[in-house]
Amino acid sequence: MTERAPSVLGLAVPALVVLAAEPLYLLVDTAVVGNLGTVPLGGLAVGGGLLAWAAALLNFLAYGTTARAARRAGAGDRAGAVAEGVQATWLALLLGAAVVVLFQLLAGPLTRALAGGPGEVAAAGEQWLRIAGCGAPLLLVSLAGNGWLRGVQDLRRPVRFVLAGSLLSLVLCPLLVHPAGLGLPGSAVANLVGQSLTASLFVRALLREGADWRFRPAAVRAQLVLGRDLLLRATVLQLAFLVAAGVAARAGQAQLGAHQIALQLFLFLALVLDAYAIAAQTLVGHALGAGRPGEARATARRVTLWGLGTGVLVAVALLAGRDLLVPLFSGDPAVREQAELVWWFLAGFQPLAGVVFALDGVLMGAGDVAYLRTVTVGAALVGFLPLSLLSGPLGWGLAGVWTGLTAFIALRLVAVLARVAGDRWLTAPATVGA
């Protein structure tokens, strides 16, 4: 009897837990450090922001590995899928070492640039980054581990591994910061220790598979081809959001505060919707690896409906709870007025975002990342960036910035729907099937 394939929801729920673990830990970390004063809190924001930026740019270690491992697992080659995890782990160590060197050499200039110049906040951020940045290889190894385990449709072990590391950090952080008297460096040490546990669990999972640990340059090069497109895509996304924040800052303090509130909510809600993308990536990769394009199409339809339905529910919840939620973030009447304006955009495009994120996962699972790269860059250059930049001189304020973000999502929606409606995405690229 054929083993029943996991459901979309069965894969999405554990993926959501993994996605949410790090942001939730950072909230607690922020609360602990916040009790030290505004300078340590600012240092955490600067140093943590730089480390998070590096992780976001190199997240292809998870998504690219999932695509290749799922294709091999779907073809019945579990050993090949695990081998992808081994090579991704080598790549993570190499890239992580490069990030460590970069942060040790440039921690000062980078934190000063982000903090707006030299001062106590920049110095605190540099201190935090020099310690926590040493964990970059560990963080990237965990991304690679998530990738190959998703590829073999095992999302339960990543939940245990990530929660173990996060819980250890949660326990250590307040102890090291306050009773031990380490202050802000205690936060960095707790972060490093938690990442060490998580990474070691992912490596142990590979060792238990009895995998061949030889470094294979050809496999790493193939992963880098996928990574190149995903890296460019991530870079454009980061740049677009950075420009939008700059425009909001120049519009005024109230506008910047409201933009920050809405943006953080958007990023948090994106975690929920991105869980469907991970489920889609795994299921589509398996289906195409097994030579079942019809099943891949059926998965695309299912995740589209899940993403759309969840997006509608989120939109309704945001609109219904606006008067309750907005005051929780700010008591400033000017900030609340601007936040209520942005709220309509935030709620309005949630159904669109639900479909876009789900179909992004479908195309990633098929290895069609070059198309996703082109679509993301094009939508940013045509929609998001021009409207954001014009908002300043034309006096559109936050309405212009968030119209740009809405256009960015809408353009991507049209592009991914058109792609999935055709057949080209069903042809496995050499970079995935090789």
Side-chain angles (χ1 to χ4, degrees):
M1 185 173 62
T2 303
E3 184 179 353
R4 186 178 178 183
S7 67
V8 170
L9 199 59
L11 292 173
V13 170
L16 176 60
V17 175
V18 172
L19 289 170
E22 182 69 13
L24 290 176
Y25 164 69
L26 290 176
L27 284 176
V28 175
D29 192 18
T30 300
V32 171
V33 172
N35 288 318
L36 294 173
T38 56
V39 170
L41 184 60
L44 177 62
V46 169
L50 286 166
L51 185 58
W53 175 77
L57 288 182
L58 298 175
N59 201 32
F60 69 83
L61 285 164
Y63 288 101
T65 304
T66 297
R68 290 179 58 84
R71 186 64 62 92
R72 295 191 183 281
D77 182 14
R78 181 183 175 89
V82 174
E84 292 293 341
V86 171
Q87 300 310 311
T89 300
W90 280 118
L91 182 57
L93 290 170
L94 292 172
L95 292 174
V99 172
V100 171
V101 172
L102 176 70
F103 281 158
Q104 294 304 318
L105 291 176
L106 300 178
L110 288 172
T111 53
R112 287 193 292 272
L114 196 58
E120 291 182 313
V121 170
E126 179 181 352
Q127 184 184 37
W128 189 94
L129 185 61
R130 287 192 183 279
I131 299 171
C134 293
L138 305 170
L139 179 60
L140 298 186
V141 164
S142 297
L143 289 177
N146 265 297
W148 78 265
L149 282 169
R150 289 172 187 170
V152 299
Q153 297 188 347
D154 183 350
L155 274 76
R156 293 182 180 179
R157 279 191 288 176
V159 170
R160 296 200 301 269
F161 298 166
V162 170
L163 287 181
S166 296
L167 288 174
L168 179 58
S169 296
L170 282 173
V171 172
L172 286 177
C173 183
L175 293 176
L176 294 177
V177 169
H178 295 294
L182 294 181
L184 181 60
S187 162
V189 172
N191 192 285
L192 190 59
V193 173
Q195 288 173 356
S196 299
L197 176 59
T198 299
S200 67
L201 290 172
F202 278 114
V203 171
R204 187 182 70 170
L206 275 176
L207 291 172
R208 286 185 170 181
E209 294 282 343
D212 181 358
W213 277 86
R214 283 179 296 177
F215 181 77
R216 300 187 182 278
V220 170
R221 281 195 300 270
Q223 290 186 353
L224 283 172
V225 171
L226 274 176
R228 175 198 61 201
D229 293 326
L230 291 173
L231 177 61
L232 178 58
R233 181 174 181 267
T235 302
V236 171
L237 280 171
Q238 295 292 324
L239 176 62
F241 281 113
L242 184 63
V243 169
V247 172
R250 285 166 176 77
Q253 292 184 355
Q255 287 83 350
L256 179 60
H259 177 73
Q260 179 67 10
I261 291 170
L263 182 61
Q264 292 307 310
L265 275 171
F266 168 69
L267 295 175
F268 178 76
L269 293 171
L271 292 176
V272 178
L273 301 176
D274 213 30
Y276 294 129
I278 291 173
Q281 193 178 1
T282 300
L283 292 170
V284 167
H286 265 254
L288 294 179
R292 298 192 295 266
E295 184 180 316
R297 278 199 180 280
T299 296
R301 288 193 294 270
R302 289 201 307 275
V303 296
T304 296
L305 292 175
W306 274 107
L308 176 62
T310 304
V312 169
L313 290 176
V314 169
V316 171
L318 285 171
L319 292 175
R322 186 189 67 173
D323 294 338
L324 176 64
L325 292 172
V326 172
L328 294 177
F329 291 97
S330 177
D332 188 327
V335 173
R336 288 167 61 174
E337 180 183 359
Q338 290 295 320
E340 288 173 359
L341 168 66
V342 176
W343 211 263
W344 291 103
F345 292 95
L346 177 65
F349 62 57
Q350 289 302 314
L352 309 183
V355 176
V356 168
F357 294 165
L359 292 182
D360 277 356
V362 169
L363 296 180
M364 283 185 189
D368 202 6
V369 293
Y371 181 79
L372 282 177
R373 173 210 64 205
T374 302
V375 165
T376 302
V377 173
L381 294 178
V382 173
F384 197 178
L385 287 171
L387 288 172
S388 294
L389 292 171
L390 286 172
S391 296
L394 296 180
W396 293 343
L398 281 188
V401 171
W402 281 76
T403 297
L405 180 54
T406 304
F408 177 62
I409 292 173
L411 288 169
R412 288 168 60 197
L413 175 63
V414 172
V416 293
L417 282 173
R419 187 68 162 186
V420 172
D423 295 324
R424 293 184 64 182
W425 66 280
L426 294 170
T427 304
T431 50
V432 175

